Amino acid sequence: MNLRSLLPSMLIGAVASARSMTPMATLAAARVAGRGTTGELVLLDRPLFKYGALAMGVGELFGDKMKSAPDRTVFLGLLARVASAGIAGAALAPKGRETTGAAVAVATAVPLAYLTLAGRKEAMAKIGQTRSGLIEDALVVAAGAAVVAWATRN
């Protein structure tokens, strides 16, 4: 097992650091498109969870622009990142290495949540909450889609 085989897990952890629901939403979109993952992802094979993950991903993009949106580093925000990164990291890991993939994704997501928050706060001070959020959304969703597309290619 080389480090490169866990790169998709690490990258999806980076995505989770900025948007907790994006990893699950991008995996759900891949499932809708008929793409499989190397690791197990049983829940997203069930329609309720698959479409629920898509809805939560979209909802998070809207909720992030609210003035009352909490920082991503509050307990529940970190918990959501741990869960999402862990599930997505396991799904993108090589078969039989799901636990390692989950650990790598979580180990990437949590510290990067603090760095991405610092960057977002700096951007908010310069261009405002909504504009900085829309730019971050575009970057994070594109990154999530790219990671999942790369990791699930045939």
Side-chain angles (χ1 to χ4, degrees):
M1 157 96 26
N2 60 28
L3 183 60
R4 186 177 186 283
S5 66
L6 292 171
L7 188 57
S9 297
M10 185 182 302
L11 293 173
I12 206 69
V15 168
S17 75
R19 292 289 178 276
S20 61
M21 295 297 114
T22 298
M24 296 304 295
T26 54
L27 283 168
R31 282 294 212 241
V32 168
R35 297 176 79 110
T37 57
T38 51
E40 292 293 323
L41 190 58
V42 178
L43 283 181
L44 286 184
D45 288 331
R46 299 175 190 270
L48 177 66
F49 289 100
K50 185 182 331 184
Y51 295 107
L54 287 169
M56 289 175 65
V58 171
E60 180 182 37
L61 298 178
F62 286 106
D64 179 64
K65 311 310 168 292
M66 297 172 54
K67 299 284 184 209
S68 61
D71 285 347
R72 62 192 71 177
T73 56
V74 299
F75 176 75
L76 289 178
L78 287 176
L79 183 62
R81 279 160 178 72
V82 166
S84 180
I87 293 167
L92 298 180
K95 189 141 190 86
R97 301 296 295 175
E98 290 90 351
T99 302
T100 304
V104 165
V106 169
T108 303
V110 173
L112 276 182
Y114 290 90
L115 290 175
T116 58
L117 176 61
R120 174 69 186 278
K121 284 184 174 182
E122 189 174 319
M124 283 172 53
K126 292 180 181 176
I127 62 173
Q129 182 174 5
T130 301
R131 286 175 56 193
S132 64
L134 291 172
I135 292 168
E136 187 179 38
D137 286 347
L139 293 171
V140 172
V141 170
V147 168
V148 171
W150 173 57
T152 62
R153 68 191 183 285
N154 295 329

